[in-house]
Amino acid sequence: MRGIRDTLRNAIPLRWIINAMSVGYRYLWVIAAYADLLIDQAVEGIYAWFPGYGPRTDNLAAIGATRGLIQGEAETAAHFALRLQNWLTTWTNAGSSSVLAEQIQSYLGNTPVVRIVTRAGLFVTRASNGTTTQATDPTWNWDSVSNPERAGWWSDLWIIVYPSEWATYANTSDPNYVNAFVNGWGIGHEAGRVAVDAILRLVAIWKGAHSYVVAIVFSTDPALFVPGSLGTAGNPDGNWGHWSKNVNGIQVPARTTATAGGTVRYWEPTGGGS
Amino acid sequence: MIAFANLVSASNQTQVRATLVSLLVGMGIPADQWRVGGPLSSILTACSYILATASLLIAQAIGSGFLGIAKGPWLDLLGQYVFGVTRPPAVAAAGQLTFVNAGGGVYPVAAFAGSFRDSTTGQYYTNTAPFTVNPTSTLSGVNFQALQAGSASSATPGAIDTIVSPPMAGVTVSNPLAVAGADALDDATYTILCQSKLGALSVRGVRTAYAYAILTALDSVTQAPVYPVEVNRYLVSASSHTGTVSVILASPSGPASGTAIAGVAANIEAIARPDTVTVTTTSATTVTYAPTVTVWCALPPGVTAAQAQAACAASVATVLANYRIGGVLASDDTQSNFQGLFGGSVAGACAQAIAALGGTYYSSQGAPDLALTPGLVATNGVSVLVRVLSTGVMAS
């Protein structure tokens, strides 16, 4: 693109041009150069409004703040730009299970499968490739035995993430467990504080105000919590209302923490996701 | 490519001139040695002003594409033309006046023909409907509004105390109740309003949809915006097992009026509530916070303890009028179970007031914490006692 510097020669005395190194020419050239810089700034700035336009990526955070979306832990700029372009569709469906799953999946660095389950047994699953499917299985039974009074809590939700991107501790002697506090990790698995805060924030923003997230479940066993297979071992058996249950006078874990297929960890968001 | 941070930040005249000088020096012209006031130097300075103005304009225009960066009129453009949200304008204080006629005159006043004044603030008000003051009688309920919109038009009870025109011998005027005006929505709140609009695009009732409904609600009777005069604080419940959303509203003075609540409820119904969800909209419950706070300070010459006391009281009132419904959670590990109004906020308000007067705040005493539950707001019953110390003498 021709700048003001290039057109300068049309506006100044011929002898200045002939003697390109004259003080007058250089003086005007410097001022023209600054004006060209401002023009570049204006043009690039307008381009910066548009996510994914051109090679620029340092504008995406500001566009995200404008459009109410955050970039995932390991999300590429190109993918985030696409989501930013789709912002109105996303917000039009805010509060739906599919968008809640999408937001969590987009944030997590391992692009996991994310499944949202309602108490009535409606399963909305977002696969790693971004496709969303829906299924029903009314045998979903988290706490009917431990908490039968909750049967009418129709706006309860569960969020299940497969697989967890964070390692679980081998045991309480695991050096990572011993240093979990220092590292800012959770006591159940090596989830960092930044990620925890981000996910809880996503839940608070993208769920309906009327719904309650009972638990966010991180499972490395893909065979668990699958509609149509809820009767198999390791799935909720109605006793999962609390983390422990009493068996013959002894408190034991109520929820599955490990299977042959992997480990499972549970977050219970304060206030159901506030 | 210019870094994004530089796209949205402007160079001032000094920076522009320094850059021009640097470029000229780089091209072998000793601009850094030019005599100040010489023709080349002066022209360069003039150019730097022009270019700096252009730089500012360009940076602001680019920033108008981004919430959180756009400011002032540029934010108005973004809000209106991208988010479809117009910035709520300033609101003139309005209410009702009472006239007491101790004499025998009859004074008919046409609408907008009267002029009344708050002798303390100097604000002027006019009647919005015709009225007649009859001999030896009291006339209440005369509607009025401030001539100038904005929070400065607010008046405390009885503060509107002067009849400017028409002359009314033997007649006194007063406003029995406080009236409040409001400034146009500030950039930060307008930005929140724009962000909340996104939630209102959905029919599934995310929390921002409720926030947008509250912020854009109209009083059910006056049809005036309820925010921020009638409602300046709100709380939307975070979650529910049974599909219920609880919305709690508060006004600067504490409780929200019935007509404001009705207006908000109607707007929530129109904008935010999904089918099958139950929404309850109520006023916050008030609890009076009425300690006597003693402030120790030093004041500059010319500032009296009474002035300091009034400034502290006003500052405390502002803090309490805006304190979050239900208070705030303790961030201090030693008070991890405490939620409510922190006495430190009141003390801080006094400290700010003293500093604004040019004084030195030393300490304060008697501002305890007040526990609040999520539906409670504290109303202002604070008494402030100012103790002025000589400079350099600390309170013991």
Side-chain angles (χ1 to χ4, degrees):
Chain A
M1 188 173 69
R2 287 168 59 83
I4 295 175
R5 284 163 295 177
D6 302 311
T7 58
L8 196 60
R9 61 188 61 219
N10 299 327
I12 61 176
L14 183 60
R15 64 179 183 279
W16 288 17
I17 301 169
I18 295 170
N19 181 9
M21 291 307 290
S22 70
V23 170
Y25 182 82
R26 283 179 286 166
Y27 188 89
L28 290 178
W29 190 93
V30 163
I31 294 169
Y34 202 97
D36 280 339
L37 173 69
L38 293 179
I39 291 170
D40 287 347
Q41 180 185 0
V43 172
E44 288 189 29
I46 290 169
Y47 289 161
W49 291 345
F50 311 116
Y53 184 89
R56 179 181 294 280
T57 59
D58 60 355
N59 57 337
L60 297 183
I63 299 174
T66 302
R67 302 186 179 189
L69 299 171
I70 61 170
Q71 188 167 9
E73 292 174 314
E75 186 177 20
T76 64
H79 189 266
F80 186 43
L82 282 174
R83 286 205 297 131
L84 289 170
Q85 291 170 18
N86 202 38
W87 66 306
L88 288 176
T89 302
T90 301
W91 275 105
T92 301
N93 292 297
S96 68
S97 292
S98 59
V99 167
L100 178 57
E102 177 191 348
Q103 296 305 312
I104 294 172
Q105 182 189 69
S106 297
Y107 178 78
L108 290 168
N110 60 338
T111 318
V113 173
V114 179
R115 178 167 288 154
I116 312 291
V117 187
T118 68
R119 184 172 286 277
L122 176 65
F123 289 68
V124 173
T125 304
R126 185 175 173 89
S128 292
N129 64 6
T131 58
T132 301
T133 55
Q134 186 171 310
T136 55
D137 187 341
T139 65
W140 174 256
N141 182 16
W142 186 267
D143 52 11
S144 69
V145 178
S146 61
N147 300 89
E149 75 280 5
R150 298 178 185 172
W153 290 8
W154 63 267
S155 52
D156 282 351
L157 296 177
W158 288 261
I159 300 170
I160 304 161
V161 180
Y162 319 81
S164 168
E165 69 176 28
W166 303 293
T168 51
Y169 307 110
N171 49 51
T172 54
S173 300
D174 184 334
N176 284 342
Y177 179 81
V178 173
N179 292 312
F181 181 79
V182 175
N183 293 333
W185 293 336
I187 59 172
H189 55 170
E190 296 174 8
R193 193 68 246 174
V194 171
V196 172
D197 287 347
I199 291 171
L200 293 180
R201 183 82 183 124
L202 287 172
V203 169
I205 291 171
W206 293 97
K207 77 173 188 64
H210 57 277
S211 58
Y212 190 104
V213 176
V214 179
I216 305 173
V217 183
F218 291 87
S219 173
T220 55
D221 183 349
L224 291 176
F225 318 115
V226 176
S229 305
L230 296 176
T232 58
N235 279 291
D237 60 0
N239 286 295
W240 287 28
H242 303 288
W243 71 271
S244 69
K245 60 183 178 182
N246 191 291
V247 178
N248 298 325
I250 300 172
Q251 288 299 124
V252 297
R255 302 167 186 164
T256 299
T257 56
T259 66
T263 58
V264 191
R265 293 294 180 267
Y266 306 84
W267 300 0
E268 293 185 3
T270 303
S274 56
Chain B
M1 188 163 62
I2 303 169
F4 180 76
N6 293 332
L7 289 178
V8 292
S9 60
S11 298
N12 61 32
Q13 180 270 332
T14 304
Q15 293 167 324
V16 172
R17 195 181 192 287
T19 302
L20 294 176
V21 168
S22 174
L23 287 170
L24 286 166
V25 170
M27 296 188 75
I29 299 174
D32 55 338
Q33 296 169 32
W34 283 345
R35 179 175 59 85
V36 175
L40 287 177
S41 176
S42 297
I43 292 171
L44 196 69
T45 300
C47 287
S48 67
Y49 275 108
I50 295 168
L51 293 170
T53 302
S55 172
L56 179 64
L57 190 67
I58 289 168
Q60 289 178 337
I62 294 168
S64 72
F66 306 95
L67 278 182
I69 295 174
K71 304 289 181 200
W74 295 103
L75 177 59
D76 289 340
L77 295 176
L78 177 63
Q80 185 164 346
Y81 294 104
V82 176
F83 289 87
V85 180
T86 304
R87 187 196 297 261
V91 178
Q96 294 186 325
L97 293 173
T98 297
F99 293 85
V100 177
N101 187 355
V106 178
Y107 302 104
V109 181
F112 301 101
S115 177
F116 315 102
R117 186 167 173 266
D118 180 330
S119 61
T120 303
T121 64
Q123 290 288 314
Y124 286 86
Y125 305 86
T126 188
N127 55 305
T128 55
F131 67 94
T132 299
V133 181
N134 291 313
T136 62
S137 65
T138 297
L139 177 65
S140 302
V142 176
N143 291 323
F144 78 97
Q145 70 178 36
L147 289 181
Q148 188 172 358
S151 60
S153 65
S154 301
T156 56
I160 302 173
D161 54 1
T162 306
I163 299 172
V164 179
S165 66
M168 297 184 189
V171 179
T172 59
V173 65
S174 69
N175 56 307
L177 300 175
V179 293
D183 298 324
L185 216 56
D186 59 84
D187 283 353
T189 312
Y190 186 36
T191 297
I192 291 171
L193 184 60
C194 292
Q195 291 167 332
S196 298
K197 173 70 180 295
L198 295 175
L201 297 178
S202 168
V203 297
R204 295 182 175 85
V206 291
R207 289 178 84 191
T208 45
Y210 291 89
Y212 184 74
I214 296 165
L215 292 169
T216 58
L218 304 178
D219 182 286
S220 65
V221 173
T222 65
Q223 294 299 298
V226 301
Y227 188 89
V229 174
E230 293 187 82
V231 171
N232 72 331
R233 292 165 283 176
Y234 59 89
L235 201 61
V236 178
S237 60
S239 58
S240 165
H241 297 292
T242 54
T244 299
V245 176
S246 171
V247 176
I248 300 172
L249 308 173
S251 68
S253 61
S257 69
T259 54
I261 293 170
V264 169
N267 213 33
I268 287 174
E269 184 67 18
I271 290 175
R273 187 186 73 83
D275 289 345
T276 77
V277 170
T278 303
V279 179
T280 59
T281 306
T282 58
S283 171
T285 303
T286 59
V287 54
T288 304
Y289 180 69
T292 297
V293 180
T294 304
V295 177
W296 281 274
C297 62
L299 297 174
V303 177
T304 66
Q307 289 172 315
Q309 183 172 322
C312 288
S315 185
V316 169
T318 299
V319 167
L320 290 178
N322 292 284
Y323 213 82
R324 186 178 182 274
I325 297 172
V328 294
L329 275 169
S331 55
D332 182 350
D333 288 344
T334 62
Q335 298 187 74
S336 57
N337 293 322
F338 181 81
Q339 177 173 354
L341 167 68
F342 280 85
S345 303
V346 174
C350 292
Q352 285 188 342
I354 297 296
L357 291 171
T360 302
Y361 170 87
Y362 291 128
S363 67
S364 62
Q365 186 182 43
D369 295 341
L370 175 67
L372 295 171
T373 54
L376 290 179
V377 289
T379 57
N380 183 20
V382 176
S383 300
V384 179
L385 181 62
V386 171
R387 302 287 301 275
V388 181
L389 305 175
S390 299
T391 304
V393 178
M394 296 293 292
S396 59

